[in-house]
Amino acid sequence: MTAIPTRRLGRTGPLASALGLGAMGMSDLYGPADEAESIATVNAALDAGITLIDTGDFYGMGHNELLIREALRGRDRESVLISVKFGAQRGPDGAWLGVDAGPAATKTALAYTLRRLRTDHVDVYRPARLDPKVPIEETVGAIAELVQAGYVRHIGLSEVGADTLRRAAAVHPISDLQIEYSLISRSLEAEVLPTARELGIGITAYGVLSRGLLSGHWTADRELKGGDFRGSSPRFQGENLAHNLALVEQLRRIAEAKGASTAQVAIAWVAAQGEDIVPLVGARRRERLDEALGALDVRLDQADLAAIEAAVPADAAAGDRYAAAQMAYLDSERRSH
């Protein structure tokens, strides 16, 4: 495999590997994970040239940050970009309790994150969702003070809409917007992506395999273990799942003709949407990481992109990307007026 190329996170952000590693599933939300294999996967990613690791302080309630700390032990901290989301509030039972991105909560959350990661700075710090109780200017202003103090290098956002992006960027440069983007999650293309490009804000795209749905490894009879949120995700239910897996079969035929896997073509499609986009892959095991890295060698020409578009048109998926309670937190899904 060729060396991993780099892409800059927006006009003002750092250079990152053209593929990032999303670590959430190593601690939370996708059922049980193997901690030793997770650490080995993070190390394999870094050894392969991936420099961007994405986490959240609420992934496993700090477990994910501690896992990343363990994986980075003995490595050059400056060679790794750590992106951290904060603000999601959860109970001891894992229940979602809302968002707190007020200035005091923002600074407190970072203090705990720095301790768990055993580092003196976070490379990109971002609220996981817009806090409806706190103007975005106040949240970004608080992170800007942390940038000034040297605790944060760059400010990012997650799942916000065009208006919020503009308001945030007026306070401090925003490096990147983390948002779901895949062949079957394309709502950002209407307003959010053009606005980010106008403002010079990069995109770190998560969910590029739609939580495994587009991986080519999902089957209709797969049993989900406890703690796997896909058990309540509309796209994984009944007729929706059957419809969506039929789309994946169409994609599989295109992939086979390219000599690639379904997952590789799905990742390559996201990467092909612009040099300002860095796909994040949620590999929890080294074999899945190896497959994802292979996407960097998949070249999609205009004919390929047209064939993919015909096979999986925008809005072709059945079901929302989250259950209704979580969709309500997505500022990115609200249209500007």
Side-chain angles (χ1 to χ4, degrees):
M1 200 196 75
T2 50
I4 298 181
T6 56
R7 292 183 169 184
R8 188 167 294 283
L9 298 184
R11 274 202 293 263
T12 63
L15 270 180
S17 50
L19 197 66
L21 180 66
M24 179 184 80
M26 296 176 179
S27 299
D28 211 357
L29 300 172
Y30 288 154
D34 179 327
E35 188 163 315
E37 179 61 23
S38 295
I39 290 170
T41 302
V42 174
N43 275 299
L46 296 169
D47 289 343
I50 285 179
T51 61
L52 176 62
I53 300 179
D54 181 75
T55 184
D57 61 12
F58 51 93
Y59 293 165
M61 312 315 299
H63 175 270
N64 205 235
E65 292 176 322
L66 292 169
L67 186 146
I68 289 168
R69 177 175 94 184
E70 186 62 31
L72 295 183
R73 189 187 297 274
R75 286 185 176 267
D76 174 17
R77 172 67 183 87
E78 290 298 326
S79 68
V80 184
L81 297 171
I82 305 177
S83 159
V84 179
K85 291 181 292 297
F86 72 93
Q89 304 296 290
R90 299 179 71 181
D93 59 352
W96 299 94
L97 306 175
V99 177
D100 188 350
T106 296
K107 293 177 179 181
T108 301
L110 181 71
Y112 281 98
T113 281
L114 294 174
R115 177 61 64 95
R116 282 189 293 262
L117 287 170
R118 200 172 283 160
T119 184
D120 62 358
H121 73 281
V122 164
D123 297 283
V124 188
Y125 200 51
R126 69 184 87 237
R129 296 289 184 267
L130 181 68
D131 183 343
K133 309 177 301 302
V134 178
I136 191 63
E137 290 86 351
E138 290 187 20
T139 302
V140 172
I143 307 175
E145 291 175 11
L146 296 168
V147 171
Q148 195 70 31
Y151 298 119
V152 171
R153 297 269 171 93
H154 303 278
I155 302 179
L157 293 170
S158 178
E159 290 289 359
V160 300
D163 290 345
T164 304
L165 268 184
R166 290 186 191 284
R167 288 169 54 196
V171 176
H172 188 279
I174 305 297
S175 65
D176 65 304
L177 170 66
Q178 192 174 113
I179 190 165
E180 186 168 350
Y181 194 19
S182 74
L183 270 167
I184 59 173
S185 298
R186 296 175 61 178
S187 57
L188 79 161
E189 291 176 343
E191 277 191 84
V192 174
L193 184 56
T195 301
R197 285 177 167 159
E198 176 195 330
L199 297 169
I201 296 170
I203 300 290
T204 39
Y206 75 89
V208 293
L209 296 178
S210 202
R211 297 170 174 81
L213 192 53
L214 290 174
S215 68
H217 303 299
W218 202 270
T219 56
D221 58 356
R222 177 165 170 175
E223 284 189 34
L224 294 174
K225 296 189 171 67
D228 193 322
F229 94 102
R230 290 170 293 195
S232 61
S233 172
R235 288 184 175 171
F236 289 84
Q237 310 303 312
E239 290 181 8
N240 286 355
L241 179 60
H243 171 90
N244 294 332
L245 287 176
L247 295 175
V248 178
E249 282 309 305
Q250 307 231 62
L251 188 62
R252 189 193 305 275
R253 286 196 280 274
I254 294 170
E256 286 174 352
K258 291 285 293 179
S261 74
T262 310
Q264 287 168 344
V265 168
I267 296 166
W269 180 88
V270 174
Q273 302 312 302
E275 287 289 321
D276 53 350
I277 297 170
V278 174
L280 298 171
V281 295
R284 298 195 291 172
R285 302 199 308 276
R286 282 167 286 183
E287 70 210 56
R288 290 286 185 257
L289 173 68
D290 288 342
E291 182 182 23
L293 287 166
L296 294 167
D297 294 325
V298 176
R299 299 284 172 263
L300 301 176
D301 60 24
Q302 289 307 311
D304 295 325
L305 293 169
I308 292 168
E309 185 79 29
V312 189
D315 301 323
D320 284 335
R321 53 193 179 104
Y322 287 102
Q326 293 298 318
M327 287 295 290
Y329 281 103
L330 298 180
D331 181 59
S332 52
E333 294 290 341
R334 299 184 184 94
R335 294 287 172 261
S336 304
H337 301 293

